[in-house]
């Protein structure tokens, strides 16, 4: 096996607002496992919510986030060590640039056995469950034997490689929307995920693509990426603007990626009867609404979007063909030891995607 250092730097989560940069043991590859030298790890909106103590991560006797754990689930890297049988199973070799799904599936539950691994019943996500799914905010990271590993082609830049995970999630959300040529689509939220979705929705050539965000800088980027109309809900009545655009009916498709409760209630009002509402966001607080809007009033098709099943190869191909770009989305780079400065920047509205680079 390749000689790896005995210890490495890593960002270890111990609890809400208790993340520490520490020296920890370097992971080693077991049978059919792979260790990568991390190239970059993005700070996700879910990382910010976990850090702040959102109930969905910490509440209850058996919280979903099981600390202490090395954080980070948006990553790529270079193969540094191959366990027994790993090279043959994954068709990779030392030195390859690779990534894998953010979920480490059990491979045994009903969902895994029927190919729906992204809904794995055990559901270990890298960066959230100790021991079984340590994350990528570290110098090295281990992939489990049940992971599908994706080689990153030479035509994909390192910046694009660092955006593969969020872009893969974006592809799944857009797939769930089943966008048609005549659709008026509203994309709510122009953060990292929203900006990726805007590019992908544009490739679907809907009749109109409307983007909503309270950050005018991000709206300008949305326009560059293919939005037909950009609306800041703090500056104008977004619901009325969309209804005016659609003869009073409302949009055909509404994709929610704001992470804010108002993004949900606004969308339910904005989407037309028999429309499609795609829920993508992770929320830091409960969202309440009149559920009769979904059923009796509008008979909506309400669809969730979770993770990125089978979409990594799509993203790599789109980057390779220059149909998807990371330009302007990655705004900041920090060293691992500067994690807290990186976290502060990730909360800054001037930033979009902040990367940690070991």
């Amino acid at each position: 096996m390749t000689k790896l250092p005995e210890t490495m730097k890593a960002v270890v989560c111990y609890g809400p607002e208790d993340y520490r940069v520490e020296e920890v043991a370097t992971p080693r590859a077991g049978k059919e496992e792979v260790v990568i030298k991390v190239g970059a790890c993005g700070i996700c909106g879910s990382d910010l919510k976990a850090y702040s103590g959102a109930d969905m991560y910490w509440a209850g006797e058996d919280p979903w986030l099981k600390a202490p754990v090395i954080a980070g689930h948006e990553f790529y890297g270079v193969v540094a060590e191959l366990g027994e049988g790993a090279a043959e199973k994954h068709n990779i070799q030392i030195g390859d640039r690779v990534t894998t799904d953010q979920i480490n599936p059990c491979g045994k539950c009903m969902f895994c056995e029927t190919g729906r691994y992204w809904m794995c019943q055990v559901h270990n996500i890298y960066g959230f469950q100790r021991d079984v799914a340590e994350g990528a905010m570290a110098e090295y990271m281990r992939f489990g034997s049940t992971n599908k590993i994706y080689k990153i082609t030479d035509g994909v830049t390192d910046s694009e490689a660092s955006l593969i995970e969020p872009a893969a999630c974006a592809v799944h959300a857009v797939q769930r929307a089943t966008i048609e040529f005549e659709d008026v689509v509203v994309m709510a939220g122009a953060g990292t995920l929203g900006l990726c979705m805007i590019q992908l929705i544009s490739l679907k050539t809907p009749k109109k693509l409307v983007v909503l965000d309270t950050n005018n800088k991000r709206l300008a980027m949305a326009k560059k990426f293919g939005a037909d109309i950009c609306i800041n809900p703090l500056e104008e009545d977004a619901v009325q603007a969309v209804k005016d655009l659609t003869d009073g009916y409302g949009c055909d498709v509404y994709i929610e990626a704001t992470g804010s409760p108002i993004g949900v209630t606004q969308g339910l009002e904005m989407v037309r009867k028999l429309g499609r509402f795609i829920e993508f966001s992770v929320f830091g607080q409960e969202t309440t609404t009149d559920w009769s809007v979904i059923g009796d009033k509008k008979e909506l098709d309400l669809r969730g979007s979770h993770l990125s099943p089978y979409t990594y190869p799509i993203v790599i191909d789109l980057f390779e063909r220059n149909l998807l770009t990371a330009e302007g989305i990655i705004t900041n780079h920090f060293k691992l030891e500067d994690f807290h400065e990186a976290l502060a920047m990730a909360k800054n509205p001037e930033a979009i995607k902040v990367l940690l680079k070991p």
Side-chain angles (χ1 to χ4, degrees), residues 294-323:
I294 298 167
D296 189 54
K297 291 183 180 179
K298 290 190 175 183
E299 196 176 321
L300 297 177
D301 192 349
L302 185 63
R303 304 178 185 180
S305 179
H306 180 60
L307 301 186
S308 44
Y310 304 106
T311 59
Y312 279 68
I314 295 172
V315 169
I316 292 168
D317 176 64
L318 290 174
F319 277 135
E320 181 80 39
R321 293 191 286 149
N322 296 316
L323 294 174

Side-chain angles (χ1 to χ4, degrees), residues 186-190 210-214 219 231 233 238 242 254 258 266 270:
V186 172
M187 178 72 240
V210 181
V211 176
L212 312 179
D213 202 279
T214 59
L219 289 177
I231 299 172
V242 170
Y254 182 92
T258 69
Q266 168 186 261
M270 189 179 293

